[in-house]
Amino acid sequence: MSVSTTWIAYRTIVTKEILRFARIWMQTVLPPVITTTLYFIIFGRLIGSRIGPMGGVDYINYIVPGLVLMAVITNSYANVVSSFYQAKFQHHIEELLVSPAPNWVILAGFISGGVARGVTVGSVVLAVSCVFAEPHLHSIPLTLLVFVLTSALFALGGFINAVYANSFDDITIIPNFVLTPLTYLGGVFYSIDLLSPFWQQLSLFNPILYMVNAFRYGLLGLSDIPVGIALAMTLIFITALTLVSLRLLSKGVGVKT
Amino acid sequence: MAGPLHALSLKNLKKTYAGGVEALKGISLDVAEGDFFALLGPNGAGKSTAIGIISSLVNKTSGDVTVFGRSLEREPEAVKRCLGLVPQEFNFNPFEPIGEILVNQAGYHGIPRREAWQRAEQYLNQLELWDKRRQPARRLSGGMKRRLMIARALVHRPRLLILDEPTAGVDIEIRRSMWEFIRGINREGVTIILTTHYLEEAESLCRNLAIINQGEIIENSSMRELLTRLHSESFVLNLKRPLDQLPPHEGLWLKLSEPGLLEVCVNQEQGLNPVFDYLNRNHIEVASLRNKQNRLEQLFIGLLQRDREEMAPGRAISPSSRPMGQLLQEGEGEQPRLQGDG
Ligand SMILES: Nc1ncnc2c1ncn2[C@@H]1O[C@H](COP(=O)(O)OP(=O)(O)OP(=O)(O)O)[C@@H](O)[C@H]1O
Ligand SMILES: [Mg+2]
């Protein structure tokens, strides 16, 4: 395909993906807004005042980055896992497979859809947080970069999950049993400085910790981990998952017999 | 380049599914450019498997697929560009409006949106679906869904259109209008490969055909050649008055299947006149007459039967040595002495 036809194919997939989650915004955008609002009220307002400051800022301000990122992670993942699994389940993935759109364009299209949802929901939640807290933007470019990289990484995770999924149960197992625990243990609600050395070391194996900290740095200028290392780790994970996804697509795993 | 350009060429194509089912046992086939080609065979023969491999939906086990001289393995994008597929099963998003389905498919082919809408309008109009362009696909009737898939397969103007049972579950009137439509597409130069279980459809539309059975091609010839092999034809006559017994009928193959129903089998040189002479002589009045079986259907059943017998071990008669006429009739031993070139 030429550059312009490739671009049209990519844009078609992305537009379709964005319209999909926009059309069902009551299921996609609204719930995370409600959940995080509750977190802000309960942990920030009601309990936060008893906890006192963390990392030198009010507790509510400390948890904003983590809560925003949690929404970004779950939404980018959920978007791709459900969209790709449905396309597989209803067989309309075949519309793409019979078309000359190359595999990397198909992957880029789905991942961009996930990034779009992650960034949209993240931004809405960030806006809501302004009602309860006073997050100041330490670095806008870094904040945006972390938004996009985190969304891309978890969109890729959702894609791989969807490739292997054979039932609707299979697309909820990883979010429930892997993503949620990792997110909660990824320093959303606390600084790992509070942990004993053993748990601190163990936390370093959690990829989400790096993103939460990079994002916290973008918003507050605070991080448990050097930002350069956090970004590099994220990029390494993205590269690895991209290669895995392309390999799965070219072998037709889960979509061809 | 040697020889004419084939729209499709399969070389020793094999497919064994993960469960161990050998769906294709090495089929080879050429379809000429501009042809209207029938791919026939009973349920489970391997038609959809072959089509799936050609259209990149099924991974082959071995063999080669070439479309307009391009290898599917080496130039998949080039192959996909000239291929349009109407699959056997519905495979669109049931919640997507049908106009969008077409425009998005065009988009995957790199066709700009404005042009895509023009094409969608053209094909949806021709297939009488334009009024429904804003409706989600699930609200269409079965026949409309089939037509939607035809429109979708055409939106990028493919040179080779593959139709896997496009008329399954479509009423007679619409089926005929679909035939006309597909014939028109073929006249414009698009090569067409059609699978169908309605053999009269294949007979009236297709110029060449292959019959596939249990993953192997058991017949590959032109429709005309195949039909001329059929030297006999069977008719059923409805008699005005029921008969208990037939008067002597030397030289004619007649059978009273019911008191008012007379079966007649004639060979082509003989024709029906001697039968009518006989009926007039004996004052037997005929109310109506119909062909007992579609001609292609007769052949088809004969070929499958022969194939089955070949597979069965310990058969004494070599199938090729048996007269064709005998092969053509299913389960009827007492056939007249018809000669064929089997
Ligand atoms: N995904 C699959 N996994 C395992 N076996 C399969 C699969 N798809 C088809 N088969 C088997 O392969 C064989 C050929 O099936 P195929 O669908 O190609 O037949 P067909 O000629 O299209 O039949 P029909 O006229 O019923 O559509 C059958 O035995 C079928 O059971
Ligand atoms: Mg089939």
Side-chain angles (χ1 to χ4, degrees):
Chain A
M1 285 180 113
S2 69
V3 175
S4 72
T5 52
T6 306
W7 169 246
I8 292 174
Y10 167 76
R11 214 183 46 196
T12 306
I13 303 172
V14 179
T15 313
K16 198 177 156 189
E17 285 301 291
I18 292 177
L19 286 177
R20 191 193 74 89
F21 80 75
R23 219 174 271 145
I24 48 169
W25 64 274
M26 293 259 281
Q27 295 170 44
T28 53
V29 181
L30 198 57
V33 172
I34 293 175
T35 326
T36 26
T37 305
L38 289 171
Y39 275 120
F40 286 136
I41 293 173
I42 294 167
F43 288 98
R45 280 281 160 86
L46 300 179
I47 303 176
S49 53
R50 308 222 175 158
I51 296 176
M54 190 164 304
V57 295
D58 279 349
Y59 186 63
I60 186 162
N61 286 335
Y62 187 82
I63 63 171
V64 167
L67 288 176
V68 172
L69 212 63
M70 197 155 89
V72 171
I73 289 171
T74 37
N75 278 278
S76 51
Y77 193 94
N79 201 64
V80 183
V81 80
S82 47
S83 176
F84 196 80
Y85 179 69
Q86 260 172 36
K88 222 173 87 165
F89 181 74
Q90 291 167 340
H91 294 284
H92 56 265
I93 189 65
E94 293 175 4
E95 295 178 335
L96 278 163
L97 299 180
V98 301
S99 83
N103 287 336
W104 67 267
V105 170
I106 298 177
L107 183 67
F110 274 94
I111 299 311
S112 304
V115 170
R117 173 147 153 212
V119 171
T120 305
V121 173
S123 309
V124 174
V125 171
L126 187 59
V128 169
S129 76
C130 297
V131 177
F132 301 93
E134 299 123 33
H136 67 284
L137 284 169
H138 179 76
S139 160
I140 293 179
L142 185 63
T143 306
L144 276 177
L145 183 67
V146 178
F147 254 170
V148 172
L149 291 183
T150 308
S151 305
L153 177 57
F154 286 92
L156 283 161
F159 181 84
I160 294 171
N161 188 169
V163 164
Y164 284 109
N166 284 316
S167 69
F168 279 98
D169 283 343
D170 292 347
I171 67 174
T172 57
I173 287 175
I174 306 272
N176 286 339
F177 296 101
V178 181
L179 277 190
T180 310
L182 284 184
T183 313
Y184 279 80
L185 299 173
V188 170
F189 296 105
Y190 54 81
S191 159
I192 58 166
D193 290 344
L194 300 182
L195 302 176
S196 65
F198 172 76
W199 289 104
Q200 271 191 33
Q201 287 301 312
L202 198 66
S203 294
L204 294 178
F205 287 99
N206 180 355
I208 293 179
L209 180 78
Y210 297 94
M211 289 161 227
V212 169
N213 276 286
F215 195 57
R216 188 170 283 137
Y217 186 83
L219 284 186
L220 306 175
L222 291 178
S223 176
D224 292 344
I225 302 200
V227 178
I229 292 182
L231 290 180
M233 290 301 281
T234 313
L235 278 172
I236 289 170
F237 282 122
I238 288 178
T239 312
L241 293 197
T242 303
L243 293 177
V244 170
S245 302
L246 286 175
R247 176 118 187 92
L248 291 174
L249 264 180
S250 84
K251 283 170 72 182
V253 177
V255 291
K256 295 188 193 179
T257 39
Chain B
M1 221 197 311
L5 183 63
H6 287 122
L8 173 71
S9 178
L10 304 181
K11 295 242 153 41
N12 203 16
L13 193 62
K14 291 187 186 171
K15 172 67 188 180
T16 307
Y17 280 106
V21 178
E22 237 186 312
L24 295 176
K25 298 170 182 161
I27 61 168
S28 298
L29 192 67
D30 288 324
V31 176
E33 187 168 9
D35 201 356
F36 204 136
F37 192 93
L39 187 60
L40 306 176
N43 288 138
K47 305 178 296 293
S48 297
T49 301
I51 290 173
I53 294 173
I54 300 162
S55 42
S56 307
L57 296 176
V58 174
N59 287 325
K60 69 181 181 192
T61 302
S62 65
D64 289 313
V65 177
T66 324
V67 174
F68 293 105
R70 314 276 201 131
S71 153
L72 176 62
E73 200 155 20
R74 285 189 298 278
E75 300 174 84
E77 287 171 29
V79 168
K80 289 172 180 182
R81 257 199 302 279
C82 42
L83 206 74
L85 171 71
V86 178
Q88 181 173 3
E89 311 285 345
F90 299 134
N91 70 342
F92 39 74
N93 182 346
F95 301 102
E96 204 176 356
I98 66 170
E100 294 287 326
I101 289 179
L102 258 68
V103 170
N104 284 336
Q105 188 67 43
Y108 304 151
H109 280 269
I111 298 164
R113 217 170 155 77
R114 178 200 288 259
E115 194 185 336
W117 269 114
Q118 285 167 357
R119 293 190 188 189
E121 181 172 358
Q122 178 197 338
Y123 291 115
L124 288 177
N125 259 325
Q126 287 178 1
L127 289 156
E128 292 167 46
L129 290 171
W130 179 243
D131 292 343
K132 307 215 178 266
R133 64 189 174 280
R134 293 198 189 87
Q135 295 214 2
R138 77 193 145 101
R139 287 217 213 117
L140 300 183
S141 74
M144 292 174 189
K145 287 176 183 161
R146 296 255 164 234
R147 281 180 281 151
L148 165 63
M149 294 206 295
I150 296 181
R152 185 186 59 183
L154 289 170
V155 80
H156 61 285
R157 310 239 158 103
R159 292 167 71 193
L160 171 61
L161 178 65
I162 303 181
L163 303 143
D164 197 351
E165 298 192 30
T167 52
V170 173
D171 75 41
I172 294 189
E173 199 185 336
I174 294 185
R175 195 184 314 162
R176 293 199 180 261
S177 73
M178 272 163 77
W179 290 3
E180 264 329 295
F181 178 74
I182 298 169
R183 265 201 199 103
I185 301 280
N186 179 242
R187 269 195 301 271
E188 285 165 19
V190 177
T191 310
I192 293 182
I193 297 175
L194 171 83
T195 81
T196 178
H197 290 291
Y198 302 111
L199 296 183
E200 78 278 12
E201 178 167 296
E203 187 175 334
S204 92
L205 289 172
C206 302
R207 285 189 285 279
N208 292 293
L209 82 166
I211 298 178
I212 171 168
N213 189 34
Q214 299 186 22
E216 284 171 316
I217 290 185
I218 57 169
E219 182 64 49
N220 182 6
S221 64
S222 77
M223 190 66 75
R224 231 186 41 213
E225 193 185 304
L226 189 70
L227 289 175
T228 53
R229 271 198 236 158
L230 190 64
H231 281 231
S232 69
E233 227 169 325
S234 300
F235 298 91
V236 179
L237 313 185
N238 271 313
L239 305 182
K240 278 200 174 155
R241 278 181 303 275
L243 283 178
D244 292 329
Q245 221 182 346
L246 279 176
H249 48 94
E250 275 293 285
L252 294 174
W253 190 90
L254 305 174
K255 185 176 133 193
L256 266 179
S257 51
E258 282 172 40
L261 226 50
L262 181 64
E263 276 184 39
V264 178
C265 186
V266 293
N267 67 38
Q268 278 173 349
E269 299 95 77
Q270 192 183 19
L272 273 170
N273 280 353
V275 176
F276 282 112
D277 288 346
Y278 162 83
L279 295 171
N280 282 334
R281 239 182 1 253
N282 292 287
H283 309 288
I284 301 172
E285 287 181 75
V286 175
S288 63
L289 169 150
R290 67 184 158 85
N291 230 323
K292 189 182 172 198
Q293 231 176 0
N294 167 273
R295 294 186 301 160
L296 184 58
E297 200 162 292
Q298 256 175 291
L299 270 165
F300 183 78
I301 289 169
L303 284 166
L304 292 185
Q305 201 179 358
R306 184 178 65 180
D307 195 49
R308 209 174 307 138
E309 282 166 10
E310 270 178 37
M311 307 281 261
R315 282 271 164 179
I317 318 165
S318 139
S320 55
S321 69
R322 300 173 64 196
M324 191 68 182
Q326 217 173 320
L327 296 170
L328 298 179
Q329 305 297 324
E330 190 181 33
E332 287 181 284
E334 37 154 348
Q335 282 295 300
R337 311 147 305 276
L338 290 169
Q339 287 305 307
D341 54 4

